[in-house]
Amino acid sequence: MVMALFPSMVVSADLGMPVVSVTTGEDGGQTYTVGLQVLALMTAFSFLPAALIMLTSFTRIVIVLSIVRQAVGMPQAPSGQILIGLSLFLTFFVMSPVFTKIYDEAVNPYLEEKIPAKEAFLTASVPLKEFMLAQTREKDLTLFAEIADVGEIDTLNDVPFSLLMPAFVTSELKTAYQIGFLIFIPFLIIDLVVASVLMAMGMMMLSPMIISLPFKIMLFVLVDGWAMVMGTLAASFYT
């Protein structure tokens, strides 16, 4: 009955197909069976959402766009799905040089079986590490190095990923809030002016937010706000 229900298992057993097979090459490198590679790839896919959020420009972009929406005074427009979509597309635009370099130097040679999987992984980490180091403050690196008791690091290339990732995220959060603060100031001034005018007119029962909202929208449209914010965010990663 078991043989009838699972014929593929019987065929595999007859052929003697190994579950895990590691082959050592002449240069000492190791290659794995396709089944093991697929298993490792599927496992890596589960970490892709976290990697996309934490190891790319996504964090800074989505925070700044959320602050812009709050500053204008319309917390529901654009919706969260639109903001996430904009952040993803802008992230791919900013990270395209890094992704292209990773594909040319690591993914494509690995698919053509010119380099083993371990070497491809190490090669792919170099462009991403360079991008993260360019955005990370030295103060944040020093902070996490002291917490982890890593010791003295000679060059930036010697910084391990376990130390670079939290330092990069911390720097991105600080940068995002700095940009958001600068964007928030003009809209805050409009709210203060409208509130002062309404109080001087004795209309204290009328919410200043209702009156200031059209002026903030008009200001944002006149200065081409979305293009300015998008351009500033994209340029902030390569200045």
Side-chain angles (χ1 to χ4, degrees):
M1 183 179 297
V2 174
M3 294 173 63
L5 292 176
F6 303 100
S8 59
M9 295 177 58
V10 178
V11 173
S12 298
D14 293 340
L15 295 177
M17 183 182 297
V19 178
V20 177
S21 176
V22 181
T23 305
T24 303
E26 296 179 357
D27 56 351
Q30 293 181 339
T31 57
Y32 305 91
T33 57
V34 176
L36 188 60
Q37 294 178 14
V38 171
L39 178 62
L41 185 62
M42 296 302 294
T43 304
F45 279 161
S46 62
F47 294 97
L48 278 180
L52 178 62
I53 294 174
M54 294 292 120
L55 305 182
T56 63
S57 58
F58 181 84
T59 301
R60 183 191 304 186
I61 294 172
V62 73
I63 291 176
V64 172
L65 293 183
S66 300
I67 293 177
V68 170
R69 181 177 64 177
Q70 190 69 30
V72 175
M74 296 185 298
Q76 302 300 328
S79 63
Q81 292 87 345
I82 295 177
L83 283 188
I84 295 297
L86 287 173
S87 302
L88 283 174
F89 282 116
L90 192 56
T91 298
F92 288 130
F93 173 78
V94 171
M95 299 296 296
S96 59
V98 179
F99 291 156
T100 302
K101 193 173 182 180
I102 290 175
Y103 179 81
D104 293 338
E105 297 181 359
V107 178
N108 194 38
Y110 173 71
L111 294 177
E112 295 178 354
E113 299 182 355
K114 294 181 179 179
I115 58 175
K118 184 177 181 181
E119 183 179 349
F121 178 78
L122 294 176
T123 305
S125 65
V126 173
L128 184 61
K129 190 174 182 180
E130 292 176 350
F131 171 81
M132 295 171 66
L133 284 171
Q135 317 303 325
T136 305
R137 292 177 173 82
E138 186 176 350
K139 179 180 178 182
D140 296 326
L141 280 174
T142 304
L143 171 65
F144 286 98
E146 293 176 353
I147 294 175
D149 196 15
V150 174
E152 187 177 354
I153 300 175
D154 297 331
T155 61
L156 291 177
N157 293 328
D158 298 331
V159 178
F161 254 106
S162 59
L163 178 63
L164 179 59
M165 286 188 289
F168 171 75
V169 174
T170 304
S171 297
E172 285 296 282
L173 289 173
K174 183 177 181 179
T175 304
Y177 277 97
Q178 287 176 341
I179 298 174
F181 171 76
L182 296 177
I183 294 175
F184 214 105
I185 290 178
F187 300 102
L188 180 61
I189 293 175
I190 293 178
D191 287 333
L192 291 175
V193 170
V194 171
S196 300
V197 171
L198 291 178
M199 186 172 294
M201 296 175 61
M203 304 174 64
M204 292 177 290
M205 299 300 295
L206 182 62
S207 174
M209 297 295 296
I210 300 177
I211 306 300
S212 63
L213 180 59
F215 292 99
K216 290 191 289 186
I217 295 176
M218 180 180 64
L219 172 66
F220 198 64
V221 171
L222 289 178
V223 300
D224 199 6
W226 284 114
M228 184 181 298
V229 171
M230 295 288 189
T232 302
L233 278 173
S236 66
F237 290 96
Y238 293 102
T239 54

